[in-house]
């Protein structure tokens, strides 16, 4: 699902012959039931006030045993938006969701695990930070790993 003609054309061309469907439409209008829902690089553009609505659409469209993958850039929750470098070079006006805001939006809608790889521009030069966070609807947030390769975590 995309609102971009260019993205739709690119996806259709590069996935020709694969059992996937692409639609030119606003995600909020999506209906139907799906085995899998995958969102890549879009959640940053939804905006905080729409996080819960986004999760509601996914939940509504996901079959009971379906899987949902959300791939998004994120933040530590310390700021109001993206890093100035990201804002200038990657996506102007984007909002990087914090893990906390993401979990709040998912609470009561999904049961499962959130696995995240946190990186910063510093990490892009070769240093990687990895952290795993598990979430259960009934018990809140649990840090199940906490292991990382950098002391700035």
């Amino acid at each position: 699902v995309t609102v971009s003609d260019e993205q739709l054309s690119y996806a259709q061309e590069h996935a020709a012959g694969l059992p996937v469907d692409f639609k030119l439409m606003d995600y909020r209008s999506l209906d139907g039931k799906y085995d899998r829902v995958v969102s890549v690089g879009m959640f940053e553009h939804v905006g905080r006030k729409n996080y819960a609505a986004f999760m509601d659409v996914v939940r509504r469209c996901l079959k009971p045993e379906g899987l949902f993958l959300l791939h998004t850039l994120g933040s530590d929750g310390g700021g109001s938006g993206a890093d100035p470098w990201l804002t200038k070079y990657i996506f102007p006006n984007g909002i990087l969701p914090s893990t906390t805001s993401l979990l709040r939006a998912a609470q009561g809608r999904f049961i499962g695990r959130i696995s995240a790889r946190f990186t910063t521009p510093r990490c892009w030069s070769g240093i990687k930070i990895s952290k795993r966070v598990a979430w259960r609807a009934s018990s809140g947030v649990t840090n199940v790993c906490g292991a990382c390769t950098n002391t700035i975590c």
Side-chain angles (χ1 to χ4, degrees), residues 27-28 42-54 93-97 101 105:
Y27 76 91
R28 293 168 286 199
M42 186 272 218
F43 195 71
E44 301 92 320
H45 305 281
V46 168
R48 282 188 196 98
K49 69 179 184 170
N50 296 314
Y51 290 172
F54 175 88
N93 303 317
I95 298 293
L96 301 182
S101 64

Side-chain angles (χ1 to χ4, degrees), residues 97-135:
S98 68
T99 304
T100 302
S101 64
L102 183 62
L103 291 172
R104 282 187 190 135
Q107 190 170 9
R109 294 171 179 90
F110 300 101
I111 297 173
R113 183 177 76 197
I114 293 178
S115 200
R117 177 170 294 266
F118 295 95
T119 61
T120 64
R122 178 178 172 203
C123 297
W124 295 345
S125 66
I127 302 170
K128 296 196 186 214
I129 301 170
S130 183
K131 206 180 247 188
R132 288 181 180 245
V133 179
W135 176 76

Side-chain angles (χ1 to χ4, degrees), residues 33-44:
K33 292 290 185 182
Y34 300 91
D35 295 320
R36 308 284 187 266
V37 174
V38 178
S39 174
V40 178
M42 186 272 218
F43 195 71
E44 301 92 320

Side-chain angles (χ1 to χ4, degrees), residues 10-25:
Y10 181 89
Q12 289 172 330
E13 179 183 333
H14 287 83
L18 296 176
V20 295
D21 295 320
F22 301 101
K23 299 178 189 247
L24 184 64
M25 64 188 293

